[in-house]
């Protein structure tokens, strides 16, 4: 067991099955963000990035989820939230195939915080960044993420952002190389 399991259900009897938390619910999504913040604090205090089973399970998902990953669609995220999520994405990039941050309002500053985590994930099939007020400042990095996942990426959501024709052109060149998109 790890610190996150102990924090969430500290007095749960070991012989009784723990209740499943629906990570697709609003409270479940908030729990994922909180877990990422706790992980960031833990890493900062220990100067390491250890494997924590409960966080691994969060990102790996369960049989009801089609792909392992993170779904925070419509959760308003701060720049600090994005930094914590980015660190967790870096650590768990080997299992993450789906990242949905659509309608989170991350903006360019949030994208910059999460970008290293996105760049670490090389098995992405779904990337959702719709309606996040992203500008051309993010387009070049996003093109790199698309190129790195070109053989696996099947769904890309980037509509309703602030890309100009230059940003759209960069992203379009990357997506044109992805046969499954």
């Amino acid at each position: 067991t790890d610190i996150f399991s102990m924090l969430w259900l500290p007095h749960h009897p070991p012989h009784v099955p723990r209740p499943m938390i629906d990570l697709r619910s609003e409270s479940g999504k908030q729990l994922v963000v909180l877990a990422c913040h706790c992980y960031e604090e833990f890493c900062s205090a220990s100067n390491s990035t250890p494997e924590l089973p409960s966080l691994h399970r969060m990102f790996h998902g369960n049989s009801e989820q089609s792909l392992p990953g993170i779904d925070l669609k419509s959760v308003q995220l701060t720049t600090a939230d994005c930094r914590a999520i980015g660190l967790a994405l870096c650590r768990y990039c080997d299992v993450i195939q789906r990242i949905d941050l659509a309608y989170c309002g991350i903006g360019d500053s949030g994208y910059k915080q999460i970008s290293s985590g996105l760049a670490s994930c090389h098995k992405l099939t779904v990337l959702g960044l719709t309606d996040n007020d992203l500008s051309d400042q993010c387009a070049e990095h996003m093109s790199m993420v698309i190129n790195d996942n070109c053989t696996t990426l099947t769904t890309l959501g980037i509509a309703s952002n602030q890309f100009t024709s230059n940003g759209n052109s960069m992203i379009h060149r990357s997506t044109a190389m992805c046969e499954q998109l």
Side-chain angles (χ1 to χ4, degrees):
T1 189
D2 61 58
I3 186 106
F4 297 111
S5 297
M6 291 185 291
L7 286 173
W8 291 333
L9 299 167
H11 304 293
H12 195 72
H15 62 281
V16 178
R18 291 178 183 250
M20 287 298 294
I21 298 170
D22 184 0
L23 297 179
R24 295 168 295 177
S25 70
E26 187 64 30
S27 58
K29 290 178 182 184
Q30 292 297 335
L31 183 63
V32 171
V33 174
L34 177 63
C36 290
H37 277 289
C38 290
Y39 182 68
E40 179 185 33
E41 290 296 321
F42 185 78
C43 291
S44 177
S46 66
N47 290 322
S48 66
T49 55
E51 172 83 20
L52 298 175
S54 61
L55 199 56
H56 180 84
R57 282 191 302 274
M58 279 186 162
F59 288 129
H60 196 272
N62 57 44
S63 60
E64 295 172 10
Q65 294 174 317
S66 57
L67 297 171
I70 185 169
D71 177 1
L72 296 174
K73 185 176 183 177
S74 300
V75 175
Q76 293 304 297
L77 300 173
T78 65
T79 302
D81 294 337
C82 291
R83 183 179 58 249
I85 292 165
L87 178 64
L89 289 176
C90 284
R91 178 60 181 96
Y92 295 95
C93 59
D94 59 327
V95 297
I96 294 175
Q97 297 177 35
R98 175 184 44 84
I99 300 173
D100 193 350
L101 301 175
Y103 310 103
C104 291
I106 63 174
D108 290 342
S109 59
Y111 183 87
K112 287 177 188 172
Q113 295 298 318
I114 212 163
S115 63
S116 62
L118 288 174
S120 298
C121 297
H122 297 289
K123 297 178 181 179
L124 288 179
T125 58
V126 177
L127 177 58
L129 294 167
T130 298
D131 199 11
N132 272 302
D133 202 29
L134 303 177
S135 74
D136 288 354
Q137 291 180 355
C138 304
E140 184 174 356
H141 184 272
M142 196 177 298
S143 295
M144 181 190 73
V145 170
I146 293 167
N147 284 335
D148 288 348
N149 289 283
C150 213
T151 58
T152 58
L153 200 60
T154 59
T155 305
L156 176 65
I158 57 169
S160 300
N161 282 296
Q162 304 300 318
F163 300 120
T164 66
S165 58
N166 288 338
N168 281 327
S169 178
M170 260 190 274
I171 293 169
H172 178 73
R173 281 193 299 273
S174 294
T175 60
M177 298 168 64
C178 300
E179 294 177 15
Q180 298 181 40
L181 270 178

